[in-house]
Amino acid sequence: MAYRVPRHPRIERHARHQTRLARLTGLVLLWSLVAIMALLAQRTLPTQHAPWKTLSVVDPVGMATRIKAARSGRDPELCRAILAKAGLTYLDLPDRTEGDFCVVRDALRIESGMAPLIPADAPMVCKEALALSIWERQVVQPAAYELLGQGVTGLEHYGAYSCRRMYGKASGPVSEHALAGAIDLAGFRLADGSRITVASDWTDPGPKGQFLRRVRDGACRVFLTTLSPDYNAEHRDHFHLDMNGWSKCA
């Protein structure tokens, strides 16, 4: 007959109690460490890198900028409050439905507070306007002063809202422009009256080309989708910038 170890109920209860106590102590220590780390992150991590902190147009572009812009843009009131706090004025536009697939909700037109859009009539949803204002203030203007020695006084574009499918085809996916969730940026007007255009200056090895590549790279950190001449021939003369598409930088 095999030997059976005698049971000691009091010892077994004590062991179970000690095990539960050890587990509880471990959990308390773990969550205390998490709380301390969160507190340190809250106090020391710059706003632009912290996804849980409120987005501000005046903050430099950081690791969390694109995430916060997309999230803030889903709340029309919050999106507009961020624009207003940054000194941008805008005109709310009525909702519109055109054709079978062009539906625009929550659109506005930026009136002032950043380099004006040319032409001025550029209806876009609030999250697109929010991303555009961040990019203009935190990417475009600093790059212009550093590389060109002057500021940008106008953003030339080919349009924001356009009721069409991608690439203007008769069938296929609906363009983000049909939802007023994108803008095709073609060029920049500078303080001295000169112009830089994607079509003419993208391959320039000097400051103009460097500026265009700098602002394209910066756009990739703000917009969900950024397409440039490096993407395909359809974008040889403009940057496609949108906050409704898939995550892509090219």
Side-chain angles (χ1 to χ4, degrees):
M1 179 181 294
Y3 175 74
R4 298 180 64 183
V5 177
R7 297 185 60 189
H8 298 280
R10 292 181 62 186
I11 295 176
E12 290 176 358
R13 286 197 300 271
H14 180 70
R16 288 195 297 269
H17 175 72
Q18 291 296 97
T19 300
R20 288 195 295 268
L21 183 61
R23 289 175 177 173
L24 179 61
T25 301
L27 285 173
V28 170
L29 291 175
L30 176 62
W31 283 109
S32 297
L33 180 60
V34 170
I36 292 172
M37 293 177 64
L39 181 61
L40 289 174
Q42 176 69 20
R43 292 184 175 182
T44 61
L45 193 64
T47 302
Q48 64 269 25
H49 300 317
W52 61 86
K53 292 186 177 181
T54 303
L55 177 69
S56 174
V57 175
V58 301
D59 290 330
V61 175
M63 293 184 294
T65 299
R66 187 166 65 160
I67 296 173
K68 294 197 291 186
R71 184 178 63 213
S72 301
R74 291 195 292 267
D75 183 336
E77 291 186 6
L78 175 60
C79 182
R80 284 164 170 75
I82 295 172
L83 290 176
K85 187 176 181 180
L88 284 96
T89 63
Y90 56 85
L91 176 66
D92 283 321
L93 301 176
D95 294 345
R96 64 190 297 178
T97 300
E98 184 179 352
D100 297 328
F101 53 81
C102 300
V103 179
V104 179
R105 301 283 186 268
D106 181 39
L108 57 81
R109 184 174 67 231
I110 297 175
E111 299 281 276
S112 66
M114 58 174 282
L117 292 166
I118 305 170
D121 186 19
M124 64 187 79
V125 294
C126 190
K127 62 181 175 182
E128 178 72 7
L130 180 58
L132 185 66
S133 66
I134 294 171
W135 179 65
E136 186 269 347
R137 188 171 297 188
Q138 301 300 335
V139 177
V140 173
Q141 297 294 358
Y145 279 106
E146 179 181 342
L147 295 171
L148 307 170
Q150 57 184 312
V152 169
T153 59
L155 302 176
E156 300 179 355
H157 66 93
Y158 289 146
Y161 171 75
S162 177
C163 184
R164 60 178 174 82
R165 298 185 183 276
M166 290 180 62
Y167 302 115
K169 294 182 178 180
S171 60
V174 175
S175 170
E176 296 300 335
H177 291 282
L179 308 175
I183 189 168
D184 287 340
L185 209 292
F188 305 84
R189 293 189 186 180
L190 305 179
D192 65 1
S194 62
R195 299 169 63 239
I196 294 178
T197 65
V198 178
S200 300
D201 302 308
W202 180 251
T203 58
D204 175 64
K208 292 183 177 181
Q210 294 172 26
F211 167 77
L212 289 175
R213 292 182 181 278
R214 176 83 63 86
V215 299
R216 188 277 309 269
D217 294 345
C220 292
R221 302 176 64 198
V222 178
F223 294 90
L224 292 182
T225 302
T226 299
L227 304 178
S228 73
D230 284 346
Y231 180 60
N232 61 16
E234 297 289 342
H235 295 85
R236 64 188 178 278
D237 59 355
H238 68 277
F239 299 149
H240 172 91
L241 311 172
D242 82 57
M243 289 295 287
N244 278 335
W246 69 100
S247 181
K248 190 174 185 63
C249 171

